[in-house]
Amino acid sequence: MPVAPAGTALAGGTDGPRALRPLLDIVLDALTTGAQDRSGPLPPGGPDAVARTVRDACLPLLPEQGAGPHAALRTLVHTLAAGAADPADPHCAAHLHCPPLALATAADLAAGALNPSMDSWDQAPAASELEVLTARALAGLVYPAATAPDALVTTGGTESNQLAVLLAREAARPPHPTDPLRIVCGANAHHSIHRAAWLLGLPEPVTLPTPDGTLDPATVHTCLAELTGRTGPILLTATAGTTDAGTIDPLPALADLADQHGARFHVDASYGGPLLFSDTHRTALTGLTRAHTVTLDLHKLGWQPVAAGLLAVPAPATLTPLAHQADYLNADDDTEAGLPDLLGRSLRTTRRPDILKIAVTLKALGRQGLGDLVDRTLAAARTFADLVDAHPRYELHSQPTLTTVLFRPIGADDTALAAIRRSLLIEGHAVLGRATTPTGLWLKATLLNPHTQPGDLTHLLKLVEGHTPR
């Protein structure tokens, strides 16, 4: 086979690795120099400065004559790295945006090079089997007593929650039309629950107040008692790890109420689900196994590159409504002849083999290795909370349940807090989030780096203090 011109060589086949190797050297060098130029958690200067830098470095992006693979790769990767919000920096702690493991990132490279398409077996023979095996292993953590638990791979918590609402709607459909599915959730629920209702043409969810950050079983009982018999089927949605404070709803009590009132029960454990890896913290998820569906998201507290979501179910029959037939992908005679049918494992058609990076991580670290990372990260959050609590100029909202710590300088009003956060962002010194609670606005540190040290946390507090009006 003739040698392909520079920049047009393929990543697959026996020659693919040889073509990739020099390009990977360029990528790694550009990642290094970009991080060195940034020298912090965020590029300084704010949106206008970053946009100007990107334009100056990268335009034109569709030149008449190409710049060549090495120059293009070096320029764009360096520019992206220099202008990145780097979740590996301990002062980048605003969002559920984790620093991915190098191991998982390397596996993701292989997934991109091989490029299986997970919509038919003949495009992904080994990848499709690996997905089933890995998904079932993770589902077994959620449903340890189930005979054949399963999980679907998704793009993240939003898609998983939407699938859970869809499955609840379809499971409730009798032979004849009836009232639509009603969703009951807390004000602490992720916005994707409301968006799922909108996408599926369902009524706006009944949203219960959560002044303490979690659903109150007494309030849920009153709501379900009022709805039962007066409306159609009900889906009760709980959260195990809220985006604002990382709190966990009282799962056993809510499961009891769902049983009592004949409601379906879904738990969004996008954030808190990885506690299942930890011997120390897994009891915080007691009651999870009683849910009809559970959302997991390993690109949060699982250290995977985006995307790495799952929807776990206790039995394959739960997924029956997703069955779909397209002759060119899963013809009946092919399925009868033994070719696996993949279309029922997602609402998407073409999709990446995101399971590879997850499988490599599970195989390499095991449950205990991942549990150790979870334990270390939760310990860092508690250390930070203790530093805040002991500081005379700061106020701690509450002890963290997971890895989110809400805090604020004593006496700072909402306007001052928002200004502090933006100043830190614009200067590139720290990336902190914000959370609005019944007691006002708080700064939010979402710690997801298991290697964060106490000194990093002390410095973060000093950075905030340096921007606090006196």
Side-chain angles (χ1 to χ4, degrees):
M1 180 180 293
V3 176
T8 67
L10 303 180
T14 56
D15 291 332
R18 188 178 301 113
L20 276 171
R21 193 173 301 278
L23 299 176
L24 291 182
D25 288 339
I26 293 172
V27 167
L28 295 176
D29 287 344
L31 287 172
T32 300
T33 59
Q36 289 169 344
D37 282 0
R38 186 185 65 246
S39 67
L42 198 74
D48 290 343
V50 173
R52 186 165 52 252
T53 298
V54 172
R55 289 195 298 267
D56 290 347
C58 300
L59 291 179
L61 280 168
L62 186 59
E64 196 64 31
Q65 297 293 327
H70 293 186
L73 195 59
R74 182 179 294 107
T75 297
L76 269 70
V77 173
H78 174 96
T79 303
L80 198 67
D86 184 2
D89 190 295
H91 297 151
C92 187
H95 301 286
L96 286 164
H97 175 202
C98 75
L101 297 171
L103 172 74
T105 305
D108 215 25
L109 166 67
L114 295 169
N115 207 30
S117 182
M118 304 295 292
D119 52 319
S120 67
W121 182 88
D122 56 350
Q123 298 176 85
S128 60
E129 180 66 12
L130 182 66
E131 179 176 272
V132 169
L133 295 174
T134 309
R136 287 176 179 169
L138 288 167
L141 279 179
V142 179
Y143 299 106
T147 302
D150 202 353
L152 301 182
V153 178
T154 70
T155 53
T158 293
E159 184 186 347
S160 294
N161 285 338
Q162 290 171 354
L163 273 173
V165 174
L166 172 64
L167 291 173
R169 186 192 72 177
E170 295 303 299
R173 289 193 176 199
H176 304 290
T178 186
D179 292 332
L181 178 76
R182 296 303 305 269
I183 301 170
V184 175
C185 65
N188 63 347
H190 192 259
H191 62 82
S192 59
I193 299 296
H194 291 260
R195 180 166 284 192
W198 169 69
L199 282 170
L200 294 170
L202 297 173
E204 181 70 16
V206 178
T207 305
L208 304 178
T210 53
D212 295 327
T214 58
L215 276 168
D216 174 35
T219 304
V220 173
H221 172 69
T222 300
C223 175
L224 294 182
E226 291 175 352
L227 290 175
T228 302
R230 297 182 178 89
T231 186
I234 299 169
L235 171 66
L236 174 60
T237 296
T239 307
T242 60
T243 53
D244 269 349
T247 53
I248 297 175
D249 286 330
L251 303 181
L254 296 178
D256 288 342
L257 289 170
D259 286 346
Q260 179 183 342
H261 294 282
R264 191 175 174 96
F265 187 39
H266 169 66
V267 178
D268 177 2
S270 295
Y271 183 8
L275 266 60
L276 292 170
F277 295 122
S278 168
D279 291 330
T280 303
H281 297 290
R282 64 187 303 140
T283 54
L285 297 179
T286 298
L288 190 68
T289 188
R290 298 174 63 188
H292 293 85
T293 49
V294 173
T295 288
L296 304 173
D297 193 347
L298 297 180
H299 60 246
K300 292 181 171 58
L301 197 59
W303 303 284
Q304 298 299 297
V306 175
L310 298 109
L311 180 72
V313 297
T318 307
L319 305 175
T320 299
L322 299 179
H324 183 67
Q325 204 271 329
D327 193 65
Y328 77 105
L329 294 172
N330 60 346
D332 288 340
D333 58 325
D334 278 348
T335 303
E336 291 167 3
L339 295 184
D341 177 2
L342 306 187
L343 277 188
R345 298 196 65 82
S346 179
L347 290 181
R348 292 172 285 151
T349 305
T350 302
R351 58 189 179 90
R352 299 183 79 248
D354 287 314
I355 202 65
L356 176 59
K357 61 199 173 194
I358 299 173
V360 168
T361 302
L362 298 179
K363 181 78 170 177
L365 300 184
R367 186 185 64 79
Q368 291 185 358
L370 279 163
D372 178 62
L373 294 181
V374 169
D375 293 347
R376 280 197 261 164
T377 311
L378 267 66
R382 294 195 168 102
T383 297
F384 188 54
D386 290 343
L387 289 171
V388 171
D389 205 25
H391 198 291
R393 299 195 63 200
Y394 287 103
E395 178 184 4
L396 178 68
H397 178 274
S398 57
Q399 285 294 325
T401 302
L402 295 175
T403 68
T404 298
V405 180
L406 303 185
F407 70 104
R408 62 189 178 192
I410 293 173
D413 60 19
D414 289 0
T415 301
L417 280 176
I420 291 169
R421 175 180 175 271
R422 284 192 292 269
S423 294
L424 290 167
L425 288 176
I426 298 303
E427 294 171 7
H429 290 159
V431 189
L432 290 170
R434 54 188 288 165
T436 301
T437 76
T439 56
L441 186 66
W442 296 79
L443 294 175
K444 177 173 69 172
T446 307
L447 304 180
L448 294 176
N449 186 337
H451 305 302
T452 296
Q453 298 298 308
D456 300 320
L457 302 173
T458 300
H459 187 214
L460 181 58
L461 275 182
K462 288 181 178 178
L463 287 171
V464 175
E465 189 173 358
H467 288 77
T468 302
R470 295 180 183 275

